[in-house]
Amino acid sequence: MVRTAVLVSGGGSNLQAILASQLFGEIQNCNLVSVISSNPGAYALDRARAAGIEVSVVDVSTFPTKRTFNTALMQKLGDLDIELVVLAGFMQVLQRPICKEYENRIMNVHPSLIPAFCGPGQYGLHVHQQVLDYGVKVSGATVHFVTEEVDGGPIILQKAVDVLPDDTAKTLQRRIMEQAEWEILPKAIDLFCRGKLTVEGRRVRIDEGA
Ligand code: GAR
């Protein structure tokens, strides 16, 4: 069983999707050891507690620098002997030492079709507002491995979602979560934990065999 930590900062609907997929047996060989939040007030922590998962808080506001925050987070992951790190609405940038230590073992869900509408400062509703302002007709979600380049790592799964004429950032966000994120993030975790992912340069090969 792959020892897994889910890192969160906010509402935790992606965490909830992971928990539901585990209950339905759709994620195999995954031991969800801990949910770690950068924000002590995150509703995701309540969701984790309700599911009986151990929680910890590495409160970003208590650290003098991003570097010391990253060091504390890496310590926590090491203490828990974590093998897979899942960023599910985690709003902090991971710096080089963590990215190197967990190379191709950290995955993130981003609410657009990377490489569009991504990179530094692109998170949450900002992404969907930019999609609307640009006028694209299709957006979606991406799960990718994390490197020190924000949203720049090898892509594992993507799913497209139509942008509708009357969408607001909120309605688009919700539809992309429901139709894409909540499906592809649990699926990517399952593929990883069953050893079905191989990274070759920028490309992730998926072994579709049983
Ligand atoms: C999700 O839409 C996720 O893709 C996005 O934040 C939301 C978190 O929702 N993440 C990013 O924008 C990261 N760049 P949740 O807390 O309900 O899962």
Side-chain angles (χ1 to χ4, degrees):
M1 298 273 264
V2 177
R3 290 179 65 81
T4 302
V6 179
L7 273 53
V8 296
S9 301
S13 70
N14 277 288
L15 169 66
Q16 197 71 56
I18 295 166
L19 295 170
S21 295
Q22 272 212 312
L23 274 180
F24 281 107
E26 293 160 356
I27 300 177
Q28 289 172 28
N29 201 34
C30 176
N31 178 10
L32 182 42
V33 174
S34 187
V35 169
I36 303 172
S37 178
S38 60
N39 163 19
Y43 183 59
L45 289 169
D46 294 341
R47 296 185 194 264
R49 287 191 195 100
I53 311 282
E54 182 199 299
V55 302
S56 7
V57 175
V58 182
D59 182 352
V60 66
S61 71
T62 64
F63 291 89
T65 60
K66 296 287 181 197
R67 181 177 168 159
T68 49
F69 168 73
N70 266 255
T71 304
L73 192 57
M74 194 151 130
Q75 181 81 48
K76 184 88 211 162
L77 295 171
D79 289 350
L80 293 167
D81 210 11
I82 293 302
E83 298 165 291
L84 170 65
V85 181
V86 178
L87 309 186
F90 186 68
M91 298 305 178
Q92 301 301 321
V93 173
L94 297 183
Q95 295 180 325
R96 180 196 285 253
I98 295 192
C99 295
K100 283 282 165 217
E101 177 74 20
Y102 293 90
E103 189 171 19
N104 296 333
R105 295 192 296 139
I106 308 174
M107 59 174 69
N108 176 49
V109 62
H110 181 78
S112 76
L113 293 175
I114 290 175
F117 305 105
C118 64
Q122 294 273 22
Y123 60 90
L125 283 172
H126 300 289
V127 177
H128 304 292
Q129 191 57 55
Q130 294 218 8
V131 163
L132 295 176
D133 292 347
Y134 201 93
V136 296
K137 304 291 189 193
V138 177
S139 188
T142 302
V143 179
H144 63 93
F145 284 118
V146 172
T147 61
E148 59 184 305
E149 182 192 346
V150 176
D151 297 329
I155 290 171
I156 304 168
L157 292 172
Q158 291 188 298
K159 189 170 177 201
V161 175
D162 285 342
V163 178
L164 301 181
D166 294 331
D167 265 331
T168 63
K170 280 201 165 161
T171 62
L172 182 59
Q173 178 185 54
R174 182 75 194 178
R175 199 162 59 259
I176 287 175
M177 283 178 164
E178 286 174 356
Q179 294 183 9
E181 295 184 44
W182 299 346
E183 177 187 325
I184 64 175
L185 183 58
K187 188 170 178 190
I189 296 169
D190 175 61
L191 288 168
F192 181 97
C193 291
R194 290 192 297 122
K196 300 290 186 186
L197 302 178
T198 312
V199 183
E200 295 167 358
R202 282 209 47 84
R203 301 177 77 168
V204 178
R205 185 184 294 279
I206 299 174
D207 172 5
E208 299 285 2

